[in-house]
Amino acid sequence: MVRFELTVQIGRSRQSCPHRASSSQSRSRSRSHTRHSRPHSPEDRIPLVERVPPPARDDDPASISLPPSPTDNTPEKTSLPLGPRSSHQHLPTSNNESLPNGPPPADEPPGLNPSPKQNGSGSYTDFSPLRRKFILSVITIAGFFGPLAGGIYLPALPVLEKEFNVSPTAINVTVSVFMMTFAFGPLFWSTFADWKGRRPLYLISLAIYILANVLLAVVPANYGALVFLRVVQAFGSASVVSMGAGTVADITEPKKRAFAMSIFLMGPQCGPILGPVLGGALAEANWRWIFGFLAISSGILWLVMLSSLPETLRARVGGGRIYTERPIFFWPPSMSSPLAPSWERGPPPPIPTLKGYWNLFIYPPIGIVSFNTAMLYSTYFAIAVQLPTELSQRYKWGPSGIGAGFLAVGIAMIVGSLLGGRASDWRRARAAEQLPEDTKIDPEFRLVDQIWGVLICVLGTLLYGWMVDGSKHPAAVLFATFLTGFGMNWVFVTTTAFLTECVAQQAAGAFALGNLLRNPGAAIVSVITPTLVAKMGSGWCFTGLAVLDLLLVGTAVIVLRLKCPGWRADRAAKMQLAGKKAGGPAAVP
């Protein structure tokens, strides 16, 4: 025992020395001491402590918290050197333990200050509030251009029929191919948005969109070229639908995510509202100016993104601490961003495959949410395609009045999105205050808010059908469209927040799948609604749609609320088993 106490005293003397010896010298002294001393008995030996990483935070898989540093008044336990430290390893400590003194990790830059994750502040992101607002503003504007390209084109259809010398059916094909490509394009982009990063794909996809608009503005009037370039235009603009949701999830903690998502969704929602107004004005001058305007405005946005939009994918930059010392404008600008140190990065999402995408789609919460979204959007689109006919034939409104009539539903969509997101976050915050501090709130908690949105949307659809059928005052008709748009977007914003929390590592892919059926559903409804109204009348036609929404969507919301915990547990168990069979770490659901 005398020899053991002497060893402890020597170790403490070395640690208390203001000029600590190098790690190589420490190892040399340790080996020398071992050669000249007899082996200790089992009770005298100092046990080695395995270095293991602490558990990750529930709301941030990228977080790694270091144990507290020792103080002068803290008793210390002796630890033997275990060799070079890994960047992901450290000793667990408590009130009577301290980290061993040794060299920094091999991949740790010298003099690097710890991020809030490492020093224990628990911050979800290292981006400043001002920079987060800037990122959200940029992606919201980017999300505006895809739906804008679809809506701004509609007033020019009669002009294009004459210019390209084709039938109305043929020119409507250019609308259909845009909608179908815009529906399935996000699946391609989101596959890489969760894997290769956000910034490069924003720049690449927006460049494709700009090129398509330039060519549409300058190429000769050829119908085949028009159809092809509309496909390219939709493909380029579709990326922001999925990547924007992923970016919001990157920079916004879950408890505030619904309201942030509602702000982002304002971009895609304003496109169909402002598109026809801008398109009608530009078509009067020259139809080519429609595409010229899109090319110039999106080109300005591309330059802003190139010079100032940071990478946000947590698997590459963690909380974004590498940008804290950088100015908001990058010079020289580059397509990609540097990687954060390995210990700051979150776990990489699963490598994308078609089978993995299919498995994500058939995961019941995502499949059911896709169906709900398609049902409500199809109901809204049925009103949208029938409203111009009713206002012009029944109420004798002119083109400018019809365009103004769409402002009611447009404003309702924006207000419903903002209020729905704020209400969902408020309810989640109240629930968090009533639970123990470390309790995680399940994603399906947000689904309760959807029920109110479904009821409001159903009420608006019923009122619209019977107000039009009875030729009531147009103010009553527009109020009904307001309720429909308000309720629909109330549901959409809570759905989006739910998806980003349901499969956090694949937020972009989940959002794309959640909106997969929207445009195909709208395309089908736009074809069959005039026939149904002619045979059934507006009242019974929209009553049928309202009943379908109430029964199918309402029931699906209740099923999600009740069954999601079990589905989530089953998915986590399957992914953990798959990871063990592959010989690697279990995938994070």
Side-chain angles (χ1 to χ4, degrees):
M1 289 302 253
V2 173
R3 211 180 282 271
F4 171 77
E5 293 170 359
L6 179 60
T7 304
V8 174
Q9 185 64 36
I10 292 173
R12 288 181 176 173
S13 299
R14 280 200 302 268
Q15 290 181 353
S16 61
C17 180
H19 303 286
R20 191 188 309 122
S22 66
S23 61
S24 61
Q25 292 172 333
S26 299
R27 288 193 296 267
S28 176
R29 285 194 294 267
S30 177
R31 288 194 296 267
S32 175
H33 177 73
T34 303
R35 286 196 299 268
H36 293 287
S37 61
R38 64 174 178 84
H40 303 310
S41 62
E43 63 272 13
D44 292 338
R45 293 194 185 117
I46 304 169
L48 299 179
V49 183
E50 183 183 1
R51 295 170 177 172
V52 295
R57 288 167 51 91
D58 288 337
D59 61 345
D60 181 14
S63 63
I64 299 175
S65 58
L66 287 177
S69 300
T71 60
D72 294 338
N73 298 325
T74 304
E76 298 178 337
K77 286 186 179 179
T78 305
S79 58
L80 293 179
L82 298 178
R85 287 173 57 190
S86 166
S87 62
H88 293 282
Q89 294 177 326
H90 49 71
L91 284 171
T93 63
S94 61
N95 291 335
N96 60 348
E97 292 180 319
S98 63
L99 284 171
N101 293 313
D107 59 348
E108 178 177 341
L112 190 63
N113 294 325
S115 70
K117 289 285 178 228
Q118 294 169 298
N119 62 25
S121 70
S123 175
Y124 182 82
T125 179
D126 292 300
F127 288 111
S128 66
L130 179 61
R131 199 155 197 173
R132 291 200 300 270
K133 292 177 182 178
F134 171 78
I135 295 171
L136 185 59
S137 299
V138 170
I139 63 173
T140 299
I141 296 172
F144 171 71
F145 278 99
L148 177 65
I152 200 172
Y153 181 80
L154 298 179
L157 291 181
V159 177
L160 293 173
E161 291 176 22
K162 298 177 181 179
E163 184 72 21
F164 288 84
N165 194 24
V166 294
S167 66
T169 302
I171 206 66
N172 284 341
V173 170
T174 64
V175 178
S176 299
V177 296
F178 182 94
M179 294 179 66
M180 296 301 293
T181 306
F182 197 77
F184 292 96
L187 299 181
F188 172 85
W189 293 111
S190 62
T191 299
F192 298 97
D194 280 330
W195 184 38
K196 293 296 186 182
R198 320 288 191 200
R199 175 179 164 83
L201 295 186
Y202 276 124
L203 296 174
I204 293 171
S205 61
L206 194 58
I208 294 173
Y209 177 78
I210 295 169
L211 177 63
N213 282 305
V214 170
L215 293 177
L216 283 167
V218 300
V219 296
N222 180 276
Y223 178 73
L226 177 64
V227 173
F228 173 75
L229 290 176
R230 284 285 285 175
V231 171
V232 177
Q233 184 190 43
F235 178 72
S237 61
S239 66
V240 181
V241 174
S242 57
M243 288 193 295
T247 302
V248 172
D250 291 337
I251 64 174
T252 310
E253 56 188 325
K255 66 181 181 180
K256 299 179 180 178
R257 194 169 291 167
F259 182 67
M261 200 67 69
S262 69
I263 295 176
F264 162 68
L265 291 176
M266 286 179 62
Q269 291 160 2
C270 287
I273 299 170
L274 300 180
V277 179
L278 293 173
L282 294 171
E284 289 185 2
N286 190 314
W287 66 270
R288 293 186 183 273
W289 268 112
I290 293 176
F291 305 109
F293 168 80
L294 293 175
I296 294 171
S297 54
S298 58
I300 295 173
L301 177 64
W302 188 87
L303 292 176
V304 172
M305 286 184 162
L306 178 66
S307 61
S308 57
L309 183 68
E311 178 60 67
T312 62
L313 183 63
R314 303 183 73 86
R316 293 183 61 85
V317 299
R321 189 170 65 89
I322 61 174
Y323 288 102
T324 56
E325 302 299 329
R326 289 184 164 205
I328 193 170
F329 292 104
F330 310 142
W331 190 261
S334 61
M335 184 69 69
S336 61
S337 66
L339 284 172
S342 58
W343 64 89
E344 292 184 10
R345 288 178 240 154
I351 297 176
T353 62
L354 290 177
K355 182 180 179 181
Y357 229 165
W358 172 249
N359 290 336
L360 187 63
F361 180 70
I362 62 175
Y363 179 45
I366 295 179
I368 294 174
V369 162
S370 301
F371 174 78
N372 287 356
T373 303
M375 281 292 299
L376 293 180
Y377 189 74
S378 298
T379 299
Y380 155 75
F381 210 79
I383 293 177
V385 297
Q386 194 64 22
L387 183 62
T389 301
E390 300 293 350
L391 292 178
S392 62
Q393 296 181 0
R394 195 180 296 269
Y395 297 101
K396 310 303 180 184
W397 285 21
S400 59
I402 294 173
F406 277 93
L407 291 176
V409 67
I411 294 172
M413 292 166 67
I414 295 173
V415 174
S417 181
L418 292 175
L419 292 183
R422 180 67 78 180
S424 182
D425 284 345
W426 177 76
R427 284 190 65 255
R428 191 183 189 279
R430 285 193 62 191
E433 292 174 356
Q434 298 171 2
L435 294 174
E437 184 176 354
D438 295 331
T439 302
K440 182 180 179 181
I441 298 179
D442 294 333
E444 56 270 13
F445 178 83
R446 295 189 183 274
L447 295 176
V448 177
D449 301 300
Q450 291 186 342
I451 296 175
W452 303 109
V454 172
L455 293 176
I456 294 173
C457 185
V458 167
L459 177 61
T461 305
L462 279 172
L463 286 177
Y464 172 81
W466 293 108
M467 293 298 103
V468 167
D469 196 68
S471 298
K472 303 299 181 181
H473 195 280
V477 175
L478 297 183
F479 175 72
T481 64
F482 182 95
L483 292 178
T484 302
F486 181 92
M488 179 188 68
N489 268 31
W490 183 289
V491 174
F492 282 1
V493 69
T494 55
T495 297
T496 305
F498 165 75
L499 287 173
T500 60
E501 297 177 26
C502 185
V503 281
Q505 282 188 277
Q506 297 170 280
F511 183 77
L513 289 171
N515 291 275
L516 175 65
L517 303 179
R518 280 180 55 173
N519 282 355
I524 294 172
V525 163
S526 65
V527 174
I528 65 175
T529 297
T531 303
L532 292 176
V533 169
K535 292 184 176 181
M536 302 172 60
S538 294
W540 289 113
C541 174
F542 287 97
T543 296
L545 287 174
V547 171
L548 283 177
D549 288 342
L550 182 62
L551 293 180
L552 299 181
V553 180
T555 302
V557 169
I558 297 174
V559 170
L560 282 171
R561 186 69 178 90
L562 297 176
K563 302 289 291 183
C564 263
W567 287 331
R568 190 172 62 254
D570 291 342
R571 183 172 185 266
K574 290 178 181 178
M575 296 186 74
Q576 185 175 13
L577 180 61
K580 290 180 179 179
K581 288 182 178 180
V588 179

